[in-house]
Amino acid sequence: MTATWEPATGVLRLPSGRLVRGRGLRRPLPEGARPRFGVYLLGHEPPAVAWPARWVRWRDFWLPADPPAFREVLGEVLARAASERVEVACAGGRGRTGTALACLAVLDGVPASEAVGWVRAHYDRRAVETPWQRRFVERFGTR
């Protein structure tokens, strides 16, 4: 199966061509193809979904509770996005999701110092909401 999504808001094309949908769980699931894998960035256990998923414990406006586990999950997202529909989501779809997408961009070759701006240009202009989320992305490339 190839990783194709219908053109839709929230689908980010990484430099490698891999596609990852970012979204806010407060909004309804978009029409069209369902993800084959999801990562949910929440301070509490996410709602059940009909596809394989991973939960990253991450309180709103903060950072992942376990950064090494977060990096491992992002590696899985990047690998699966080569051949599957993948989504990354938090409650609003901007802060935690934007931070995760910026870190994915770093793993995919975007310099860490440019990743926040890159995600704001290609996903959501308000992605990555706090100064500490921005610093986390900038330091992500050095860990």
Side-chain angles (χ1 to χ4, degrees):
M1 172 180 199
T2 60
T4 58
W5 286 89
E6 297 79 16
T9 304
V11 176
L12 176 68
R13 181 178 300 277
L14 293 167
S16 64
R18 293 178 173 137
L19 303 174
V20 178
R21 180 174 68 197
R23 74 176 180 105
L25 294 171
R26 288 188 203 124
R27 291 187 285 279
L29 186 65
E31 294 290 325
R34 302 283 191 238
R36 299 285 308 268
F37 180 69
V39 172
Y40 303 102
L41 316 166
L42 298 167
H44 55 82
E45 192 167 349
V49 291
W51 46 85
R54 299 273 305 265
W55 170 33
V56 173
R57 188 180 298 272
W58 189 337
R59 292 183 340 173
D60 202 7
F61 298 108
W62 291 95
L63 298 173
D66 186 346
F70 171 66
R71 180 181 282 276
E72 180 183 314
V73 168
L74 289 186
E76 185 176 0
V77 168
L78 199 58
R80 284 179 174 254
S83 62
E84 296 178 272
R85 293 180 181 102
V86 177
E87 78 171 5
V88 175
C90 65
R94 290 197 175 107
R96 293 168 284 185
T97 298
T99 302
L101 293 175
C103 290
L104 269 176
V106 170
L107 292 177
D108 203 50
V110 174
S113 62
E114 299 172 21
V116 171
W118 189 88
V119 166
R120 287 178 175 169
H122 294 93
Y123 170 68
D124 187 307
R125 64 184 176 85
R126 293 177 286 181
V128 188
E129 294 175 317
T130 68
W132 42 92
Q133 288 172 341
R134 176 185 276 279
R135 279 192 304 273
F136 182 82
V137 172
E138 290 169 353
R139 294 176 180 153
F140 189 78
T142 62
R143 294 181 178 165

